[in-house]
Amino acid sequence: MTALLEVTDLSIQFGGLRAVSEVDFSLAEGEILGLIGPNGAGKSTIFNLINGVLPPSSGRILFGGVDITGWAPYRVVRHGLARTHQIVRPLNDMSVLENCVVGGCFGRDNLTLAAARHKAAAVIEEVGLGEHRAVLARHLTIAHKKRLEIARALCANPRLLLLDEVLAGLNPTEVARMIEVLKAIRRQGVAILMIEHLMQAIMSLSDRVMVLNFGRKLAEGTPAAVVNDPAVIEAYLGTPDAAHKLAGEG
Amino acid sequence: MSLLRQPMLWLILGAMALFAGLPGFGGDVALREGLFLTAIAIILASNLNLMIGYTGYVNFGNIVFFGLGGYFGVWLTTMHGWPLVPAAIVAAILVSTIALFFGLGILRLRGSYFTLATIGINEAVRALVSNIDAWGGSTGMYLSVSVYQPLGGPRQALWIVYFLVIGIMGASLFLSWFIRRSKFGLGLFAIREDEDAASVLGVHPALYKSVIYSVSGFLPAMAGALFFFKNGVIQPDQAFDLTMSTEAIVMLMLGGQGSVTGAAVGAFLYDQLRSTLLTSSMFSQFQLVIAGILLLLIVLFVPGGLIGWIGERWPRLRRVLE
Amino acid sequence: MFGVIASMVDGLLLGAVYGLAAIGLTLIWGVMNIINLTHGALIALGMFGVYFLTARVGGSPYVALLPVAVLGFVAGLAIYGLSVHRVIARPPLMSLLSTFAVNMVIIGAGTAFWSTSIYNLPFSVPGITWQGFTFTGAHMLAAAVAVVVAGALYLFMRHTRLGKAIRAVANNRQAAELMGIPSGRILAVAFALGVALAAVAGGLIATLFPFTVLSGSGYQLKSFVVTVLGGLGNPAGALVGGLLLGLIEGGVTPFIAVSWTPVIEFVLFVLILIAFPKGLFARGAAR
Amino acid sequence: MKRLWTALAFAIIALVGGGTRQTVAAADTITIGFTVSETGALNVDSLAQLHGFELWRDQVNAAGGIKVGGKGYQIRFVSYDDQSRPDRVQQLYSRLITQDNADFLFSPYSSNLVATAAIISEQYGKVMLTTGAAEEKTYQLGNKYLFQLYSPAKDYLAAAMDLMKKKDPTAKVALVYSDDGFSKAVAAAAKARAKELSQEVVMDEAYAPSTTDFGPIINKMIGAHADVMIGGGHYPDGTTLARQMFDQKAPMKFVCMLVAPDSPQFASLGDAAVGLAVPSQWEPSVTYKPQFGPDPATFGRDFQAKYGIEAGYHAAGGYAAGLILQQAIAKAGGLDQEKVTAALNATDATIFYGHVKFATDPQNHGLQLGHDMVLAQWQKKNGQLVKEVVWPDAAKTADLLYPMR
């Protein structure tokens, strides 16, 4: 199985601070890779480096065999790599439908307006926003805004989806629903790289998990292996008890 | 979706017919002069709307397109003996090309920084043109009455110019409308809402912004060529008057930014108000004060402008008056 | 050669006043991210304030600067409450337009009352003559007052509670509020302070040149240039920017026709804005 | 939906129609339309001109109106504010002609505004008398109904040059003038005259009309060791320049400036005004013997009585425009534009304002040929600032103060 995403020696420096340092990893077609680590470990920065919001100081990003290092975000998404934002960024004065039409029009398939509308309507149903399609994005609840982020990204018809804490701030019912949505996405064969603090979700969804600490890769492996890794426990989860507690939460 | 069934099509055609017909049939010249300025205002406001309303970039120096178009137009017609229409078209092409270059530079800036840069560009161009001797420096260029001869003398020429301006007005409205319903327009709206998010969704902001900046200069430049041809004199202080720039923004606010009809209705109302105040003995002294208070009230209480307000009251009308 | 030096010295003297005129603009920008388009009109009001106080009440125009500053402060509070407070959190277009609307009202009323005729403060201070070139006392005093006022503002911002509060609000409004600083009141004070500075600058300009109710707009444009040179939102930079602008003006005019000066100024303005949006002397990170 | 459209159409028609108020003049009146710069940069000069118009109207109406074939026509004015800006001038003149039914037109003030207005007056073949539009170019655009009261721009500073030649042939001249059409034309003519007279010109520079700081220019003058400054522009820039030259102690022996020093308000500059000279279309102290209308002294007295200030040449020009038009209407025996035009073409008369005669060749039609200018200078007499005529010798009331300081 060839890797869909292959990241080699990725680093970025802000002033004197190395926010991400020599990170290597890869992700296969259809795989879900969880990205965990304490706050400030550089998780979102890695997303920003992959989708072109920030240019890396060094390193290489191959996506589908193409070197996309340093590409502008709009090029990256047209190539089939879409993302969501940790802090949601809806296009406020546009409706849910219009938000998604933007995703479709300018995504991988470069759809026409009419085709994008068609696609958007389907995706909106899929993520469960059907009854809100005409509502202005600014009037949505936070849970719905998170879903909108995902729907918008899905409209681009991505091969890989970067999800940045889509579960944060949701209540248990909402989390459960969202996890269903994510599973449905996986069934379509879309690969996912997800940042998540909610261990329960990570454990149930991820094929593999990567742990980041101070911008460096601390561990990588199956969810079960990672949670029991002493280094991970010390850096992120605290005591093994806490780890289990965390995993059981939500 | 048949084009003929779109209310907007008929609204625009109706407006053009009214503008052409009202003074046209009666031969009412004073009315024509008034509507001429209104039509120019509509052209300026609706093209500015492409930047402010659609893309969210506040171009405070939008008049630079109008002025430069006027200069190129007058220069081609008087110095090189070109007929009016080709001169106006070439002027517009030149201005759009220049705008593309300006745009590539200043569109890296956002928010108020961009706004300041547009003011700077207008002032720089005004100062520069004041020093171009071939264009008469700060004295500008005067048109001899003889330039109207090919159009049948001044009397007929002014009518022809008027109808041409009505044509450009219609073109501006159609342009706004088509862009609004196009994929290109959707990209612009996305940039307006959140440029970074738009970029992450696949919109190429730099390209889109440069193109719309350039496009929004094309028709105003043509209008400028016609306006100054009719005016008989072109001077830097009149061609690059920041007051006219800001007036166009006020019109946009009055009608409602981001909306095709908003720009037009705002321009119409503002211009009628201005000329009424100007010729009224009671208010001519205080016209600026009244206009200022009106603007303040709109900004504070009706930021969506007239059309936005109507859209909130009667949501069904929103689709008609898009 | 003497001519060039004289011209540059003149430029520096005037540059200090440009700097002062720009401080008010940049202060307001720095604290609340608003470009105050009433700036020019308020400079003009400062001119008329000094003119009428001197002409009607008598006394030195420099004494008149004090009441003008106070009146400016009060006017600033009023303008803030009327037109600025409600638009601070909204897109930049709204604050541009609301301040521009106030500008229209002031200019319109000023034109109605005083027409656009030229006013002249009949006043002069003996100057120094050097190699046939005279530096007027008014220019030197104006520059001195400008530097003193700018210095006082600097000390005020560094060493008083209120000044520190303003800086805190400018830095991070939410954090400042969490620390118990009433940000609404602080913003009003900062705005009023900016307006008072504009009025004082106008008053000083009135001691140098005759003026009309429309004169302020030219200084407003110059203030834009100065703030961009010195860094938007940086009051200390504004004074440096003003001196720099004065030096540029003084330095180039002996060699080229004066009509080219604005071309140089505004081309420089746009280029610097594109290359260094935070100003030439900006420190720290980007937005 | 349909109702909305109808309502919208009605609203538009009502709004547009609201503007088209027809004003019908009474039978025995002559309506004269014009715009005035009530506001904006030109308002001082333009309002002075307006005062001239008004004095003429009031005096004629009081005397029973303009007599045509034994019938007296009362004069009615319709005027609007052009704000010193040309953008609405065409709209306003169209309105004056078609809605306000103006029979004749006076021009706005300044060459730029006149050129813009003339396109409309020509279109309708309406006679327009211009005052305050001295630039020759305006009359070389092919207009047929435009008549200029002022001596053209080339005459303005030629006299100053002649005077210099006589007083101080070695004086170095600095030409410093506003960058507007009128001032530039005047300066170009002065430069040509200086060349003819082989007077040395050490500086030739235009400044933007909106300039408020003349420091750099004055430093340049001092650096060039100029003895004489000739130029200027309009009222605001002229007064500023005069005051700054005084403040900076520019060592000028003679300063002659356009327009600004002519205004009585110029005296508010105090000592800075002393010695400044101005080419003037007219001064109260001139001694022309009029063929009709008031004599200069009577006009000056009447004006002073009505407005409380001394008449400057803009006011005199305004009155003269009325007087010349009145005479042409009387001669034409009616209001027919062609006949009045012919009468104006044939005008060759001396009034309180001096000699008036218009060019009739198609290239320069309407250009003033007959009128002569004088040179006036501000001098101090018994502590009072007064404006004296110093040139030509035939008209002078005092000797030139030279060097001025």
Side-chain angles (χ1 to χ4, degrees):
Chain A
M1 195 164 68
T2 54
L4 175 63
L5 179 73
E6 200 169 336
V7 173
T8 330
D9 189 29
L10 192 65
S11 302
I12 187 169
Q13 208 150 342
F14 297 124
L17 182 80
R18 276 189 98 96
V20 172
S21 193
E22 295 157 11
V23 171
D24 297 293
F25 69 94
S26 66
L27 194 133
E29 202 91 47
E31 189 184 10
I32 295 187
L33 175 62
L35 188 51
I36 62 173
N39 282 328
K43 304 183 299 289
S44 287
T45 308
I46 285 188
F47 272 26
N48 285 340
L49 290 169
I50 293 175
N51 94 316
V53 171
L54 293 170
S57 309
S58 68
R60 213 154 75 110
I61 303 158
L62 287 180
F63 179 65
V66 179
D67 187 348
I68 60 164
T69 319
W71 281 22
Y74 70 90
R75 263 184 93 189
V76 174
V77 64
R78 288 175 178 201
H79 201 62
L81 200 165
R83 73 170 285 184
T84 68
H85 298 94
Q86 181 185 2
I87 299 160
V88 291
R89 299 186 82 157
L91 304 173
N92 272 323
D93 278 332
M94 294 164 77
S95 69
V96 168
L97 181 70
E98 284 169 319
N99 267 270
C100 294
V101 171
V102 172
C105 270
F106 301 98
R108 180 147 71 108
D109 297 342
N110 200 20
L111 300 174
T112 62
L113 267 178
R117 262 192 215 110
H118 205 72
K119 164 110 189 170
V123 172
I124 288 171
E125 286 302 330
E126 207 176 300
V127 302
L129 282 174
E131 55 191 296
H132 302 289
R133 54 185 281 176
V135 175
L136 288 188
R138 69 161 68 248
H139 296 141
L140 292 178
T141 62
I142 183 73
H144 286 158
K145 280 181 182 167
K146 295 242 167 187
R147 274 192 233 169
L148 176 60
E149 284 273 330
I150 295 179
R152 218 164 55 167
L154 280 180
C155 282
N157 190 20
R159 297 162 72 190
L160 170 61
L161 195 54
L162 309 184
L163 298 178
D164 198 344
E165 295 194 33
V166 289
L167 300 175
L170 303 191
N171 66 33
T173 339
E174 289 164 350
V175 167
R177 271 211 208 140
M178 187 63 100
I179 287 177
E180 288 314 307
V181 169
L182 297 182
K183 282 182 178 162
I185 295 170
R186 190 236 282 270
R187 279 197 292 278
Q188 293 168 13
V190 179
I192 294 176
L193 174 59
M194 62 187 295
I195 297 174
E196 200 48 70
H197 280 297
L198 210 57
M199 290 308 293
Q200 178 210 27
I202 287 281
M203 306 295 285
S204 68
L205 282 169
S206 309
D207 298 318
R208 282 188 301 136
V209 175
M210 179 167 82
V211 187
L212 220 56
N213 195 25
F214 292 117
R216 290 178 178 278
K217 186 161 90 177
L218 194 64
E220 189 181 351
T222 61
V226 165
V227 176
N228 293 314
D229 185 325
V232 175
I233 293 170
E234 190 192 338
Y236 181 46
L237 303 172
T239 63
D241 279 358
H244 288 130
K245 234 170 129 188
L246 248 172
E249 240 177 51
Chain B
M1 186 178 72
S2 159
L3 188 67
L4 292 180
R5 262 197 265 141
Q6 299 291 318
M8 184 56 74
L9 173 77
W10 299 106
L11 274 180
I12 296 175
L13 289 178
M16 288 174 73
L18 265 181
F19 269 70
L22 277 179
F25 291 125
D28 186 339
V29 171
L31 182 59
R32 181 198 72 196
E33 290 295 319
L35 288 179
F36 177 79
L37 291 175
T38 308
I40 295 276
I42 292 178
I43 294 168
L44 292 178
S46 44
N47 285 285
L48 182 63
N49 194 21
L50 301 178
M51 281 304 292
I52 294 186
Y54 288 12
T55 322
Y57 273 71
V58 183
N59 183 353
F60 239 84
N62 58 77
I63 204 68
V64 74
F65 303 136
F66 181 74
L68 268 181
Y71 262 99
F72 283 125
V74 167
W75 178 60
L76 289 172
T77 46
T78 60
M79 305 279 181
H80 298 279
W82 283 39
L84 178 61
V85 173
I89 293 172
V90 169
I93 292 172
L94 287 171
V95 169
S96 274
T97 313
I98 292 172
L100 202 57
F101 283 106
F102 281 160
L104 289 175
I106 63 170
L107 284 160
R108 296 173 40 193
L109 303 168
R110 296 198 190 172
S112 306
Y113 292 95
F114 173 79
T115 303
L116 278 184
T118 56
I119 295 177
I121 282 195
N122 186 62
E123 292 305 300
V125 170
R126 179 225 294 260
L128 184 67
V129 167
S130 303
N131 283 293
I132 298 178
D133 285 334
W135 282 359
S138 67
T139 321
M141 289 182 273
Y142 285 56
L143 274 69
S144 166
V145 177
S146 64
V147 302
Y148 302 121
Q149 289 316 321
L151 299 177
R155 196 162 191 151
Q156 198 181 323
L158 298 198
W159 277 108
I160 293 174
V161 170
Y162 176 69
F163 291 124
L164 287 172
V165 164
I166 301 304
I168 297 176
M169 178 187 88
S172 299
L173 296 173
F174 278 119
L175 181 72
S176 284
W177 182 40
F178 289 147
I179 289 182
R180 196 185 154 81
R181 324 191 107 222
S182 70
K183 191 169 152 177
F184 180 59
L186 185 70
L188 296 178
F189 286 142
I191 291 173
R192 176 188 71 191
E193 295 301 322
D194 186 335
E195 188 164 339
D196 296 325
S199 157
V200 167
L201 289 171
V203 181
H204 187 341
L207 178 72
Y208 270 55
K209 288 189 295 178
S210 307
V211 168
I212 196 65
Y213 186 70
S214 170
V215 165
S216 74
F218 190 86
L219 290 169
M222 267 180 99
L226 294 174
F227 179 87
F228 287 104
F229 178 81
K230 169 180 176 288
N231 196 49
V233 188
I234 183 163
Q235 294 175 317
D237 284 352
Q238 195 196 355
F240 306 106
D241 185 356
L242 269 184
T243 321
M244 267 176 92
S245 258
T246 37
E247 276 182 335
I249 299 178
V250 174
M251 295 169 193
L252 213 48
M253 285 304 294
L254 185 63
Q257 47 162 327
S259 139
V260 180
T261 32
V265 169
F268 181 84
L269 290 177
Y270 181 84
D271 198 70
Q272 291 299 323
L273 180 74
R274 265 289 312 263
S275 55
T276 310
L277 290 178
L278 195 65
T279 49
S280 101
S281 49
M282 193 154 54
F283 293 116
S284 69
Q285 284 274 304
F286 287 95
Q287 42 143 329
L288 211 54
V289 178
I290 295 169
I293 292 172
L294 185 70
L295 173 62
L296 188 60
L297 293 177
I298 292 170
V299 172
L300 293 182
F301 303 111
V302 210
L306 186 65
I307 297 296
W309 183 77
I310 290 177
E312 265 169 45
R313 287 283 144 129
W314 298 284
R316 275 176 44 208
L317 280 179
R318 202 181 289 162
R319 254 191 291 148
V320 180
L321 301 171
E322 57 189 319
Chain C
M1 192 59 224
F2 294 125
V4 180
I5 296 171
S7 177
M8 286 170 88
V9 172
D10 255 350
L12 277 176
L13 292 176
L14 203 57
V17 182
Y18 291 162
L20 181 65
I23 286 178
L25 189 76
T26 202
L27 177 73
I28 292 172
W29 166 265
V31 177
M32 56 198 95
N33 264 20
I34 279 177
I35 295 180
N36 175 20
L37 289 183
T38 49
H39 192 68
L42 293 163
I43 288 178
L45 285 186
M47 294 170 171
F48 277 90
V50 166
Y51 176 83
F52 283 115
L53 283 171
T54 316
R56 297 281 156 78
V57 185
S60 158
Y62 299 104
V63 179
L65 286 177
L66 211 63
V68 161
V70 174
L71 288 175
F73 192 86
V74 174
L77 287 177
I79 294 171
Y80 178 86
L82 214 63
S83 70
V84 179
H85 185 68
R86 303 177 59 121
V87 295
I88 282 188
R90 294 179 31 200
L93 176 63
M94 295 302 165
S95 56
L96 282 170
L97 286 178
S98 72
T99 52
F100 182 72
V102 175
N103 175 69
M104 283 167 82
V105 173
I106 297 177
I107 294 289
T111 308
F113 294 132
W114 304 316
S115 84
T116 45
S117 304
I118 192 153
Y119 285 74
N120 176 36
L121 203 59
F123 158 82
S124 82
V125 185
I128 298 172
T129 304
W130 170 78
Q131 300 286 342
F133 299 96
T134 301
F135 307 108
T136 72
H139 274 79
M140 290 186 283
L141 278 172
V145 172
V147 171
V148 168
V149 171
L153 179 74
Y154 183 80
L155 293 177
F156 168 79
M157 294 290 270
R158 293 272 143 186
H159 298 292
T160 65
R161 277 180 66 118
L162 189 57
K164 284 177 188 165
I166 291 177
R167 287 196 301 141
V169 172
N171 248 328
N172 189 334
R173 201 174 305 157
Q174 276 158 350
E177 263 174 36
L178 288 177
M179 282 158 57
I181 298 173
S183 76
R185 231 182 299 162
I186 295 296
L187 289 175
V189 168
F191 189 89
L193 203 57
V195 170
L197 287 167
V200 169
L204 279 180
I205 293 166
T207 65
L208 304 178
F209 314 119
F211 55 91
T212 74
V213 75
L214 305 176
S215 294
S217 67
Y219 293 98
Q220 178 171 311
L221 281 175
K222 274 208 174 25
S223 298
F224 288 156
V225 180
V226 168
T227 42
V228 164
L229 284 174
L232 269 165
N234 177 356
L239 191 64
V240 180
L243 291 173
L244 199 62
L245 182 71
L247 206 59
I248 292 170
E249 284 187 357
V252 299
T253 39
F255 304 105
I256 54 169
V258 284
S259 58
W260 280 96
T261 326
V263 182
I264 294 174
E265 270 175 30
F266 284 108
V267 169
L268 207 62
F269 170 73
V270 175
L271 291 181
I272 291 177
L273 199 51
I274 294 172
F276 312 96
K278 297 283 164 184
L280 285 181
F281 315 108
R283 289 163 301 177
R287 177 178 85 118
Chain D
M1 180 92 89
K2 210 172 222 168
R3 218 184 312 158
L4 170 84
W5 286 40
T6 329
L8 209 70
F10 269 117
I12 291 170
I13 291 166
L15 256 166
V16 173
T20 53
R21 169 173 42 89
Q22 294 280 334
T23 35
V24 183
D28 292 347
T29 60
I30 294 176
T31 304
I32 299 178
F34 52 93
T35 70
V36 187
S37 305
E38 283 169 39
T39 52
L42 304 172
N43 73 337
V44 171
D45 305 322
S46 185
L47 285 172
Q49 184 175 300
L50 173 67
H51 289 157
F53 294 153
E54 286 175 346
L55 181 65
W56 167 72
R57 175 196 61 193
D58 294 348
Q59 292 190 344
V60 171
N61 283 349
I66 298 182
K67 301 282 190 302
V68 180
K71 208 163 93 181
Y73 284 88
Q74 290 285 306
I75 301 158
R76 193 176 71 100
F77 282 175
V78 184
S79 70
Y80 300 114
D81 179 14
D82 57 39
Q83 301 177 296
S84 309
R85 283 167 51 168
D87 47 352
R88 280 186 193 262
V89 161
Q90 291 195 340
Q91 183 192 7
L92 294 173
Y93 271 86
S94 299
R95 188 187 166 106
L96 287 167
I97 295 170
T98 61
Q99 279 176 33
D100 302 320
N101 297 319
D103 298 301
F104 299 99
L105 304 170
F106 288 147
S107 73
Y109 178 76
S110 93
S111 299
N112 311 334
L113 269 58
V114 172
T116 302
I119 287 174
I120 299 297
S121 65
E122 277 304 299
Q123 195 193 146
Y124 288 95
K126 285 281 176 193
V127 168
M128 179 155 86
L129 280 90
T130 77
T131 78
E135 199 186 340
E136 285 92 344
K137 211 153 66 174
T138 316
Y139 307 90
Q140 291 159 352
L141 302 175
N143 296 308
K144 291 199 266 306
Y145 301 96
L146 209 55
F147 293 93
Q148 179 189 36
L149 260 291
Y150 281 7
S151 293
K154 68 175 168 43
D155 293 353
Y156 272 70
L157 289 174
M161 284 295 178
D162 294 345
L163 185 58
M164 268 307 96
K165 188 71 194 170
K166 208 174 114 191
K167 272 280 180 195
D168 189 352
T170 60
K172 296 192 181 99
V173 177
L175 279 172
V176 172
Y177 47 92
S178 164
D179 203 350
D180 65 72
F182 160 67
S183 311
K184 264 170 116 174
V186 169
K191 195 175 183 184
R193 187 83 183 144
K195 204 171 172 196
E196 267 172 47
L197 301 171
S198 54
Q199 195 97 14
E200 190 186 355
V201 175
V202 292
M203 181 177 167
D204 175 6
E205 190 156 336
Y207 57 82
S210 57
T211 305
T212 51
D213 175 20
F214 288 91
I217 290 183
I218 294 168
N219 281 336
K220 267 194 194 180
M221 274 196 276
I222 299 171
H225 303 288
D227 303 305
V228 172
M229 189 228 110
I230 282 178
H234 285 279
Y235 188 79
D237 49 306
T239 37
T240 310
L241 178 54
R243 179 178 156 195
Q244 274 188 274
M245 279 206 285
F246 181 73
D247 285 348
Q248 288 187 243
K249 300 201 182 79
M252 296 292 141
K253 292 177 183 157
F254 180 61
V255 173
C256 183
M257 239 188 243
L258 296 170
V259 181
D262 182 67
S263 166
Q265 282 152 275
F266 195 72
S268 71
L269 285 180
D271 283 346
V274 174
L276 264 78
V278 58
S280 171
Q281 299 283 354
W282 183 86
E283 286 301 318
S285 48
V286 296
T287 50
Y288 302 117
K289 298 276 172 297
Q291 290 165 308
F292 51 87
D295 60 50
T298 315
F299 167 76
R301 205 174 52 237
D302 290 351
F303 191 90
Q304 179 92 36
K306 187 168 162 76
Y307 295 105
I309 47 166
E310 190 177 79
Y313 77 72
H314 292 100
Y319 193 101
L323 204 56
I324 293 294
L325 178 64
Q326 176 185 359
Q327 186 69 9
I329 294 171
K331 264 205 202 139
L335 305 184
D336 183 81
Q337 298 292 325
E338 298 303 329
K339 282 186 187 153
V340 173
T341 303
L344 284 166
N345 279 333
T347 299
D348 185 355
T350 297
I351 56 173
F352 79 99
Y353 171 75
H355 187 200
V356 175
K357 181 174 165 49
F358 305 105
T360 51
D361 60 304
Q363 283 81 38
N364 298 298
H365 183 268
L367 200 68
Q368 180 56 242
L369 297 179
H371 189 246
D372 284 320
M373 301 197 65
V374 299
L375 202 61
Q377 186 182 36
W378 285 96
Q379 300 186 354
K380 219 166 195 177
K381 270 197 185 141
N382 313 324
Q384 286 286 37
L385 273 170
V386 281
K387 203 166 50 172
E388 301 281 5
V389 175
V390 294
W391 180 270
D393 286 336
K396 80 177 183 187
T397 57
D399 283 327
L400 177 74
L401 191 62
Y402 189 93
M404 55 188 254
R405 285 180 191 133

